[in-house]
Amino acid sequence: MTQLEDEIQNLKEELIDLWLLVNLQLEKTQQSLFSMDNDLAREIIANEKRVNSYELKLDRNCENVFALFSPVAMDLRFVLAVLKINTNLERTGDIAAEIAKFVKDIEDGFEKSLLEAANVKEMFEVSIFMMSNVLEAFEKEDTKLARKIFKQDETLDKITKKANGVIAKYCKEQPDNIEQALYLLSIIQKLERVGDQAKNMAEETIFYIEAKVLKHKSKPNKKK
């Protein structure tokens, strides 16, 4: 391997390590929410420092590759994709930590009936599945798998829309418990953003492999 190839491989391995950490953070967040495990929530919040440390290190390493090797073509697209995916992963890590803070702050836990009505468990499962799928697509350079993320994001959006209606109805019927409902609404919105981050990472994976830019492409004949 050339030195540039070696550096590219190191970047890929470092990014995958961060990816696995963030995915684990999400899985633990789901566990902490449904078991109302405050100790696990504190662990997730503490681990956010590790996520931030990974992100900063990857940023520096990408900058070094640009400065020392001036990559071109697919190598250039790869380093650019790593930079953007790195940011997406850091934001996803933030989301996991923010949800964990809600778990720590809610004293009596969330009503199980409300969690079920809002399909929060399904939202977590879809979000985690998307993050796992897009990681596999990146590792295997599988753009077909990466494109499946877009459909999964639509599914997550539909669940979110329905959940928002459930929360609004709950607030009207249970005004004394509106604080819990608002916490849960924020969690739902954050999980939707996990889907957005996964979709962004899928777009970057396709960009570096196929040299196709998918961001901001509008669907033809779509009525607003």
Side-chain angles (χ1 to χ4, degrees), residues 17-31:
D17 285 344
L18 172 57
W19 218 316
L20 291 171
L21 173 60
V22 170
N23 287 1
L24 183 59
Q25 286 280 89
L26 271 179
E27 292 168 9
K28 287 182 177 180
T29 300
Q30 179 186 21
Q31 183 182 341

Side-chain angles (χ1 to χ4, degrees), residues 65-96:
V65 171
F66 283 131
L68 297 174
F69 302 102
S70 300
V72 296
M74 191 172 185
D75 288 338
L76 174 60
R77 295 197 306 272
F78 175 83
V79 180
L80 289 171
V82 169
L83 273 172
K84 293 182 180 179
I85 291 172
N86 188 36
T87 299
N88 293 135
L89 288 172
E90 190 275 334
R91 289 173 180 168
T92 306
D94 283 345
I95 290 168

Side-chain angles (χ1 to χ4, degrees), residues 147-221:
R147 283 182 167 87
K148 291 183 179 180
I149 302 300
F150 306 139
K151 184 67 175 178
Q152 293 164 6
D153 188 51
E154 290 176 6
T155 299
L156 195 60
D157 289 342
K158 289 177 183 177
I159 300 171
T160 301
K161 185 176 180 181
K162 183 179 177 182
N164 287 340
V166 169
I167 297 295
K169 182 181 177 182
Y170 182 88
C171 288
K172 291 178 182 178
E173 295 175 351
Q174 305 283 344
D176 293 338
N177 206 13
I178 196 168
E179 182 183 21
Q180 180 180 129
L182 293 177
Y183 270 113
L184 194 57
L185 179 62
S186 184
I187 289 172
I188 289 165
Q189 292 169 342
K190 290 180 188 305
L191 289 172
E192 182 187 24
R193 288 203 292 274
V194 172
D196 292 339
Q197 300 301 327
K199 186 175 71 171
N200 290 343
M201 289 185 273
E203 290 172 345
E204 293 304 329
T205 298
I206 293 167
F207 162 72
Y208 103 74
I209 297 167
E210 297 184 356
K212 291 182 180 178
V213 178
L214 302 183
K215 282 186 179 294
H216 309 304
K217 280 197 173 183
S218 58
K219 295 180 181 179
N221 303 320

